Amino acid sequence: MTCCTVRYTVDGSERRCPRSVAADHDRCVFHLTPEERVAADITSSTLRSAFLADVDADDPARREYVDIQLDELDLSALVVDGSDVGRIIFCDVTVDGRLDLSGAVVRHPVHIRDCHISHLDTTTATFEMDVTIDDTVFGTASEPLTCLRSRRGSFERSFQISNVRFDGSVEFAACDVAGWLGFDDVTVAGSAHFPNLTFGTVQFVSTTFEEGAEFVGADGTRAIFEGVCLDDADGTLDLSEGTFDLLRVRPSSDLTCHLQDATVSAGRLDQPEDAVACYDLTDVTLGDVDLDCEPDTFDRYRFYRTRFDGFPFASYREVLRSNRWRLHEYVGTPAAADSIEGLEHTYLEGKQGATGTGDSETASMFFVRELRYRRRRYAAHARASEHSLTHRADAALRWATNGFLDLVAGYGERPQRTLALALGVIVSSALLYPAVGGLVAGEEVVRYGTHGLLAAFDGLYFSVVTFATLGLGDVHPAGDAGRFVAASEGLAGAFLTAVFVFSLGRRVTR
């Protein structure tokens, strides 16, 4: 058997291709030029058979494909299982068409480096060992089509891609990476689709997505986006509907991150140094997640109908206080517009989340905002002509009651408001008594006309006694109008005292 005359360097050592030569040539079928293969009637099927022979050979060097140019290589639906688990290496290989591994089962580690491959297809393929791709270009800049497709592929260990450029789109729809999926110093010139990806850990470091990246429905343990750059006008990283035990996003450029309907148990959402990252957390279940924000950058995070499960509100109390406890304000463009019902629900969830972590002050502030948005909802229903008259009347009554409770006690969260109103009732009543018939004190009737401003002191004494419902009887109103004012003040006093005690007790328990 005459061996191929091609020499190459791999892993730092010079080697000679161990394969046998093709008929009438001094090189193997892989090292022939595409034109020579056509002339020798070497078809895709021939290359496929030669590859299987290499895998079954005892010489591991036959699984090294170095300095090769192919029109295409069809390895689809093969079971690649040689006599050992040595690596299959593609180095300095050019595939002008498709490298097709769709449906294949590969039981060897695969390493692709320093190659140029127009299209790699691993659809429904299973890789039982590590797959590594580095220093490689996929696709053609003049024809930016899908250059890597791995739909429903299964990677039972790791899939590492580093220092790679994709001159087109990549698609990992419904892939399963049991171990580690890593993109390091990668550029994707087209769109990047990772919908319904399941993984152990994914890490994108110094990766540029020129047309955004989609990870809708992704589900995994750890997802890390470190130094990620999005060059498209929208700069969108779509992580909506995903489930992440830990999520870390640290962009290096302007970014809009969609997380609608996602579940994030822990992690951190960072801001770039000289750019703006906006995170839409609509309908997210948010756990112990850190936010990189100050009072003037808190509105880069949109909380709308967000559920909180261990979110550390206490760490952001000063930020929230500076923003007057407003959660929903957002500088980005939201995926869904606000509604009164949605804002009411937002602060309900915020209240429950803060209560769950023992942050009573924050829960109190959110409770007040929840009820104020509820009052707006009642007002909207009262004005809406499509509702029945009964419904509108009920809404109007609820709106009035809600407003009254806010005025009197801030929904039980503002005892100082009740105290101020009580003082107002006492002082105003004290000024009224000498003016509406006067007060009988002993043998004389005290009025402004006879006693001047000194009458106000008797009025203040009687007002305090009446408000406190003590009923000493040494001073009483002289006329019907005064008795009406006294009765009203006594009723108000009993009510406001009860409200004050309730509100004060509520604040103490918080």
Side-chain angles (χ1 to χ4, degrees):
M1 180 183 72
T2 304
C3 288
C4 177
T5 59
V6 172
R7 293 182 177 273
Y8 53 80
T9 300
V10 63
D11 294 334
S13 61
E14 183 176 308
R15 301 182 187 179
R16 181 173 177 175
C17 176
R19 301 178 187 87
S20 59
V21 297
D24 302 324
H25 290 87
D26 61 355
R27 283 161 292 154
C28 67
V29 293
F30 289 104
H31 282 112
L32 295 178
T33 67
E35 293 77 14
E36 289 171 333
R37 291 192 199 96
V38 172
D41 196 25
I42 296 174
T43 64
S44 177
S45 178
T46 305
L47 295 176
R48 183 183 176 93
S49 298
F51 175 82
L52 285 175
D54 290 341
V55 170
D56 290 334
D58 292 332
D59 186 356
R62 289 184 60 177
R63 291 190 287 273
E64 298 171 357
Y65 299 89
V66 183
D67 191 19
I68 291 172
Q69 183 174 0
L70 301 167
D71 287 331
E72 64 177 12
L73 181 59
D74 182 4
L75 305 177
S76 61
L78 290 180
V79 176
V80 182
D81 185 13
S83 57
D84 58 33
V85 291
R87 287 188 303 171
I88 297 175
I89 297 174
F90 294 89
C91 179
D92 193 20
V93 173
T94 299
V95 181
D96 295 327
R98 181 189 300 268
L99 174 55
D100 192 351
L101 286 162
S102 62
V105 177
V106 182
R107 293 175 177 152
H108 293 257
V110 177
H111 191 181
I112 299 173
R113 68 172 184 264
D114 296 307
C115 295
H116 187 173
I117 300 172
S118 293
H119 183 88
L120 174 61
D121 192 346
T122 61
T123 298
T124 67
T126 299
F127 295 88
E128 297 184 1
M129 305 295 284
D130 296 331
V131 178
T132 305
I133 303 175
D134 51 41
D135 302 305
T136 294
V137 175
F138 288 89
T140 305
S142 59
E143 299 180 9
L145 304 174
T146 300
C147 52
L148 172 58
R149 177 176 284 115
S150 189
R151 190 178 299 167
R152 298 186 301 282
S154 176
F155 299 85
E156 297 184 2
R157 293 198 179 181
S158 68
F159 187 8
Q160 298 277 1
I161 302 175
S162 60
N163 195 27
V164 169
R165 178 175 179 84
F166 294 96
D167 282 319
S169 300
V170 299
E171 182 180 353
F172 283 78
C175 267
D176 181 10
V177 184
W180 187 286
L181 172 62
F183 276 53
D184 188 355
D185 196 18
V186 173
T187 298
V188 182
S191 56
H193 298 283
F194 297 80
N196 300 313
L197 175 70
T198 57
F199 56 88
T201 297
V202 295
Q203 179 169 291
F204 294 82
V205 178
S206 301
T207 296
T208 299
F209 297 105
E210 295 186 358
E211 294 186 10
E214 175 197 356
F215 291 81
V216 174
D219 184 356
T221 303
R222 296 167 58 89
I224 301 169
F225 298 86
E226 183 78 22
V228 172
C229 177
L230 290 100
D231 284 349
D232 67 320
D234 294 332
T236 301
L237 176 63
D238 193 347
L239 304 177
S240 58
E241 301 177 26
T243 301
F244 308 96
D245 291 345
L246 183 143
L247 173 65
R248 173 70 184 266
V249 181
R250 188 177 182 183
S252 61
S253 65
D254 288 338
L255 168 76
T256 296
C257 183
H258 293 308
L259 282 156
Q260 295 93 319
D261 295 297
T263 297
V264 184
S265 300
R268 181 174 175 85
L269 305 178
D270 275 310
Q271 293 293 322
E273 291 185 3
D274 299 312
V276 174
C278 295
Y279 297 89
D280 192 336
L281 301 166
T282 300
D283 292 314
V284 168
T285 299
L286 198 65
D288 186 10
V289 177
D290 294 330
L291 307 180
D292 180 14
C293 64
E294 299 294 335
D296 59 341
T297 60
F298 186 66
D299 58 2
R300 296 178 184 179
Y301 302 85
R302 189 197 191 208
F303 299 95
Y304 183 69
R305 299 194 303 254
T306 306
R307 297 171 294 277
F308 300 95
D309 185 12
F311 180 75
F313 279 107
S315 301
Y316 303 95
R317 194 177 296 154
E318 292 303 319
V319 173
L320 288 164
R321 186 178 289 114
S322 298
N323 285 273
R324 300 179 63 186
W325 309 96
R326 291 190 294 264
L327 271 178
H328 67 281
E329 293 188 347
Y330 184 56
V331 297
T333 302
D338 295 344
S339 68
I340 298 299
E341 290 82 357
L343 292 174
E344 179 188 347
H345 186 72
T346 296
Y347 288 96
L348 169 63
E349 293 287 359
K351 176 195 68 177
Q352 293 176 341
T355 300
T357 58
D359 187 354
S360 57
E361 180 184 0
T362 302
S364 170
M365 299 302 109
F366 289 160
F367 174 65
V368 171
R369 287 203 165 271
E370 174 201 350
L371 291 186
R372 286 178 179 171
Y373 281 110
R374 187 175 300 173
R375 185 165 79 237
R376 293 189 187 183
R377 174 165 62 85
Y378 290 149
H381 281 222
R383 293 191 299 266
S385 58
E386 64 269 20
H387 294 307
S388 67
L389 185 60
T390 302
H391 179 89
R392 294 173 64 184
D394 179 67
L397 180 60
R398 290 174 182 269
W399 171 83
T401 303
N402 184 298
F404 176 71
L405 293 175
D406 189 12
L407 174 67
V408 169
Y411 306 110
E413 301 292 339
R414 305 288 191 274
Q416 66 272 21
R417 186 172 294 182
T418 309
L419 182 60
L421 185 58
L423 290 174
V425 171
I426 292 171
V427 172
S428 61
S429 298
L431 295 174
L432 274 174
Y433 289 124
V436 291
L439 293 168
V440 177
E443 298 297 329
E444 60 181 344
V445 178
V446 179
R447 298 186 180 92
Y448 288 122
T450 58
H451 292 74
L453 292 179
L454 293 176
F457 289 99
D458 288 295
L460 182 61
Y461 166 76
F462 180 70
S463 182
V464 171
V465 170
T466 303
F467 186 89
T469 64
L470 296 177
L472 298 179
D474 55 336
V475 178
H476 59 273
D480 291 339
R483 285 191 288 270
F484 176 77
V485 173
S488 300
E489 184 183 7
L491 183 62
F495 173 75
L496 292 175
T497 299
V499 171
F500 179 74
V501 171
F502 168 75
S503 300
L504 188 62
R506 187 180 179 89
R507 288 299 297 271
V508 169
T509 56
R510 286 193 181 278

